[in-house]
Amino acid sequence: MAINTKYMRWFGAAAIAAAALSATNVAAEDLTMWTLNFDNGAANGALKKVAKDFEAANPGTHVEIVQRGVDEHKTALRVAAGSSKGPDIYFSWAGLGLGGEYVKAGLSLPLDKYYTQYKWADELLPSAAAFADLYPGGKHGVPFTFKGEAIYYNKKLFQKAGIAQEPKTYEELLAAADKLKTAGIPAFTFGGSVNWHVMRLMDVLLETKCGADKHDALMAMKADWTKEACATDAFTEFAKWTKDYTLKPFMGISNQQSYTLFVAGRAAMMLEGDWLVSQLSGSKANLDDYGVIPFPTNTNRLYGFAEYNYVSTKSKNPDLAAKFLDYFLSTKVQQDLVGQISSISVNKNVQYKDQKPLEAKWLEIFKTYGKVYMNGDQAFPLDVTTEYFRVINDVASGNIQPADAVKQLQSFISGRT
C-alpha cells in the first residue's frame, strides 16, 4: 500500500504538537523554591541533592532552587507579594516580624490541611513547630531550622563562687550572680557593639517579668508599654544586670570578642545559641568545662528563633509543594542531612551518634519545650526593631532611665500606627 506523504506530514506535525503538549504538562509539575545562598556551603549542596532525589522519586517533576543574598531575597519576596507571580515555596524567618511581613501581605498559604494529611506533628520537634501557630488564620510554614538560645556557664567559675547547683528559677539565677560578684567574677559577658547581642538579655527579662501572654502582647504591639508595669520592671532589671553583673566595658566590644573573653574565663556565663557547641569545639575548648541551661523565666517557654519554608499563595501546584516539604521533613531525609544544614534536625525522630554531652543536652531541651518565645528582632517589624535597639543601648549605657525607655518605645510605636 502506498504511503500518503501528506498524511505522514500531518502525523509528524501532530506528534510534535503532542510532544509539546506533553512537555507543557510536565512543566506544570515544576516547583520553584526561593531561598538564601547560605554561607554554609554544605547546606547549599544538601538542598540541591534533596531536590534531585525528590525528582528521582517523582518522575516528571523538576525542582528549581533559586538562591539569593539576604537583601535580594527580601526584595524579591516583597515584589512577589504585590504581583501575580512568585515561587511555589519560599524561605523566611519565622515570627510575626520578618516572616509575618509576608504572611500579612498574603504571600503565605495556610497549611492546616497538610499538617493533618502528612501528620507533621508526629515528626517535628514541638519547639520548632510552635512558630507555625503564631499567625492569624491558620498554620503557616514548616520548620527549616530551629535555633535555641540558653545560658552557657563555666563550671569551674561556678565552683569557685560556691554555686553548687544549676539555677532552676530566676531567683536562683540572681543569687548565683550575687555569689559570682562577691567572688569578683562577672556573671555575663555581652558584645554591645552589635545591637542584637545584648538585646537577648532584655528579651529574656521581658519574658521573666511579664509572663508569656503580656510579653507576646507587647512584642505584637497590642499592649501599651507604658501601661504594663512589668515592662518598666524588665527595663529596671536589665539596667541592674548591665550595671552590676556584666563584664565591662561591654558596649565597645563585639559578640566575637565577648566569646573570646568567655572562653578565657573572664566571665561565668553567655546567653548564646545551640551553635556555640560547635564554636567551642572549633576553639579547642574542653566541652566538659561548660554546662547549658535555659534562661529560667518561670514560663516554661524556650527562647529561640526559627527559619521556615512557606508555601506561596502564587503557587499553581500547592499540593506538590507540600509533598516536597513533606519529603524534606521526612525522617530518612533529615537523618541524611544531620550536620549539613544544622547540628540538630527539626525532625524529632532523627537519631544521633557520638553526641557530645552539650549536644545531648540541647536535644533534651528541644524535646522538652513545646512553646517558644522569639528574639525581639524577629518579633518586631524592622523599624521598631531599630528603635528597640536604641532604647536598650541607652538604658545599658545609663543615658535613660527605665521609665523613660518604655515611654520612648511606646511613643515610637504609637507614632507609626
Side-chain angles (χ1 to χ4, degrees):
M1 185 175 78
I3 298 176
N4 188 321
T5 56
K6 181 179 179 181
Y7 172 78
M8 289 303 297
R9 285 197 300 270
W10 175 87
F11 182 83
I16 293 171
L21 179 60
S22 175
T24 301
N25 288 338
V26 170
E29 294 298 302
D30 281 4
L31 278 180
T32 303
M33 179 180 185
W34 289 4
T35 188
L36 297 183
N37 185 13
F38 298 101
D39 292 335
N40 177 5
N44 294 325
L47 272 179
K48 292 173 182 176
K49 183 178 185 304
V50 169
K52 291 296 182 185
D53 291 347
F54 180 78
E55 290 172 349
N58 297 271
T61 298
H62 173 66
V63 181
E64 180 185 9
I65 297 179
V66 179
Q67 294 180 279
R68 300 181 175 94
V70 173
D71 291 339
E72 293 82 2
H73 179 68
K74 291 178 181 177
T75 299
L77 289 178
R78 291 188 182 107
V79 171
S83 70
S84 60
K85 296 181 180 180
D88 295 285
I89 299 168
Y90 69 90
F91 166 98
S92 186
W93 295 265
L96 298 176
L98 292 174
E101 174 185 345
Y102 309 115
V103 174
K104 187 176 181 180
L107 187 59
S108 172
L109 184 73
L111 302 181
D112 301 70
K113 73 173 184 178
Y114 298 119
Y115 268 86
T116 300
Q117 177 182 341
Y118 292 114
K119 300 180 180 179
W120 283 333
D122 294 338
E123 288 198 303
L124 295 173
L125 285 171
S127 49
F131 292 85
D133 295 315
L134 294 175
Y135 312 103
K139 289 179 175 290
H140 286 267
V142 294
F144 177 64
T145 66
F146 175 65
K147 309 295 187 184
E149 294 156 286
I151 296 172
Y152 289 81
Y153 67 92
N154 185 313
K155 294 179 180 178
K156 292 180 179 178
L157 293 182
F158 265 37
Q159 184 178 18
K160 183 178 179 180
I163 304 169
Q165 295 181 333
E166 292 180 342
K168 291 183 171 55
T169 66
Y170 181 68
E171 293 71 26
E172 290 178 359
L173 181 64
L174 273 177
D178 282 327
K179 287 184 177 181
L180 288 163
K181 183 178 180 181
T182 300
I185 304 168
F188 277 100
T189 176
F190 289 100
S193 68
V194 290
N195 296 311
W196 46 265
H197 206 235
V198 73
M199 173 203 71
R200 294 173 182 166
L201 178 60
M202 188 65 221
D203 288 346
V204 296
L205 291 173
L206 278 167
E207 177 79 0
T208 304
K209 291 297 179 180
C210 291
D213 291 341
K214 285 187 179 181
H215 185 192
D216 288 349
L218 288 168
M219 302 311 283
M221 299 178 291
K222 293 180 179 178
D224 191 316
W225 287 70
T226 62
K227 294 180 180 178
E228 296 293 349
C230 67
T232 303
D233 291 343
F235 270 109
T236 301
E237 206 74 358
F238 175 78
K240 177 182 177 181
W241 277 97
T242 52
K243 178 184 176 182
D244 296 339
Y245 303 124
T246 306
L247 181 64
K248 307 292 190 306
F250 69 91
M251 291 303 291
I253 65 172
S254 69
N255 60 304
Q256 183 57 45
Q257 290 170 314
S258 177
Y259 167 77
T260 301
L261 292 167
F262 176 64
V263 174
R266 295 284 301 280
M269 294 180 280
M270 278 194 84
L271 185 51
E272 272 292 346
D274 57 276
W275 58 84
L276 197 74
V277 179
S278 59
Q279 193 173 350
L280 288 167
S281 297
S283 299
K284 308 300 182 184
N286 184 355
L287 296 184
D288 292 336
D289 289 340
Y290 302 95
V292 61
I293 52 172
F295 194 98
T297 60
N298 307 336
T299 64
N300 200 33
R301 298 202 302 180
L302 181 64
Y303 184 46
F305 63 93
E307 297 166 330
Y308 263 43
N309 286 318
Y310 299 79
V311 175
S312 168
T313 53
K314 314 299 178 182
S315 175
K316 299 294 190 292
N317 199 340
D319 289 345
L320 186 63
K323 185 177 182 181
F324 174 79
L325 292 176
D326 180 63
Y327 178 80
F328 178 79
L329 294 171
S330 67
T331 303
K332 182 183 182 302
V333 171
Q334 287 292 309
Q335 187 73 61
D336 293 340
L337 292 177
V338 169
Q340 297 181 63
I341 291 178
S342 184
S343 58
I344 300 292
S345 170
V346 296
N347 184 310
K348 67 182 180 183
N349 300 316
V350 165
Q351 300 296 311
Y352 301 88
K353 296 180 180 179
D354 304 321
Q355 273 197 309
K356 301 175 179 68
L358 283 181
E359 291 173 330
K361 178 63 177 179
W362 267 114
L363 186 59
E364 177 189 329
I365 290 171
F366 286 145
K367 288 186 175 181
T368 298
Y369 287 85
K371 296 180 180 180
V372 296
Y373 65 102
M374 71 192 71
N375 297 47
D377 56 354
Q378 302 284 335
F380 278 137
L382 180 58
D383 59 334
V384 183
T385 292
T386 302
E387 179 67 4
Y388 186 51
F389 285 159
R390 184 193 69 78
V391 170
I392 287 170
N393 290 341
D394 277 349
V395 172
S397 301
N399 294 331
I400 61 173
Q401 295 301 308
D404 292 326
V406 295
K407 290 177 182 177
Q408 291 184 21
L409 184 57
Q410 185 57 48
S411 176
F412 182 88
I413 292 171
S414 300
R416 67 185 295 276
T417 55

